[in-house]
């Protein structure tokens, strides 16, 4: 019997109560945008922290070895945007929002912290936790599953 739905067998058909899950492609695009946005911020922090050095190259090399700058600045940037907008600039561009998986409401701060730490869990086995988004029915990566969050496209 033919089906009147266009979804495949991995994704449940959308209904009025089913959110539109955001898949790997748009989320990867959002990551690229966020990387471009945070780069000038990182450079500014490095220049400020290492302004006593003689050359810009020396500053960038020294900053490249600073774990607090390389991990702390992006984490702070991301978490602040998640807390305020439930999205980073890249997610805003692709019209995506992070929500609690059960209520579809704003995630709790602990969920956002777990989600960020979960990025490392998703990355470690050759990025498998991120690729998981491509075949998960609700487009959740491992970081989303750990934090009990979803990335959805809010209703227009």
């Amino acid at each position: 019997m033919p089906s009147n739905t266009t979804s495949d067998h991995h994704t449940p058909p959308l209904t009025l109560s089913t959110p539109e899950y955001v898949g790997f492609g748009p989320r990867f695009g959002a990551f690229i945008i966020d990387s471009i946005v945070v780069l000038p911020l990182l450079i500014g922090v490095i220049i400020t922290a290492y302004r006593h050095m003689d050359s810009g190259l020396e500053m960038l090399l020294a900053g490249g070895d600073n774990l607090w700058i390389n991990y702390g600045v992006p984490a702070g940037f991301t978490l602040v945007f998640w807390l305020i907008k439930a999205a980073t600039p890249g997610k805003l561009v692709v019209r995506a929002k992070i929500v609690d998986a059960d209520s579809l409401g704003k995630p709790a701060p602990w969920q956002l912290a777990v989600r960020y730490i979960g990025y490392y869990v998703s990355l470690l086995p050759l990025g498998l936790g991120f690729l998981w988004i491509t075949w998960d029915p609700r487009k959740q990566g491992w970081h989303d599953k750990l934090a009990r969050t979803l990335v959805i496209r809010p209703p227009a």
Side-chain angles (χ1 to χ4, degrees):
M1 173 179 262
S3 172
N4 59 0
T5 180
T6 58
S7 64
D8 62 19
H9 67 284
H10 296 292
T11 306
L14 293 176
T15 65
L16 291 176
S17 62
T18 303
E20 180 185 348
Y21 306 116
V22 180
F24 181 82
R27 289 169 73 168
F28 184 72
F31 165 75
I32 297 297
I33 292 167
D34 291 335
S35 298
I36 292 168
V37 168
V38 82
L39 185 60
L41 179 63
L42 283 171
I43 292 170
V45 170
I46 289 169
I47 289 170
T48 301
Y50 295 98
R51 65 185 173 278
H52 62 279
M53 294 187 160
D54 292 332
S55 75
L57 181 58
E58 267 187 307
M59 288 182 212
L60 291 176
L61 291 174
D65 288 338
N66 187 314
L67 293 178
W68 287 110
I69 291 174
N70 288 303
Y71 292 96
V73 171
F77 170 85
T78 301
L79 288 168
V80 165
F81 265 94
W82 284 355
L83 284 166
I84 294 170
K85 292 285 195 179
T88 56
K91 278 188 176 55
L92 292 171
V93 168
V94 301
R95 287 192 346 92
K97 182 178 179 180
I98 302 164
V99 296
D100 175 79
D102 296 325
S103 70
L104 301 182
K106 189 172 183 173
W110 72 264
Q111 287 177 285
L112 299 174
V114 168
R115 188 173 193 276
Y116 194 86
I117 293 165
Y119 273 180
Y120 296 100
V121 174
S122 292
L123 182 64
L124 285 178
L126 302 174
L128 183 61
F130 291 113
L131 293 174
W132 199 263
I133 295 165
T134 61
W135 55 79
D136 186 82
R138 297 196 307 167
K139 309 292 184 212
Q140 287 179 295
W142 293 352
H143 53 289
D144 292 309
K145 291 184 179 296
L146 286 169
R148 292 188 258 150
T149 58
L150 295 168
V151 177
I152 65 167
R153 206 157 262 129

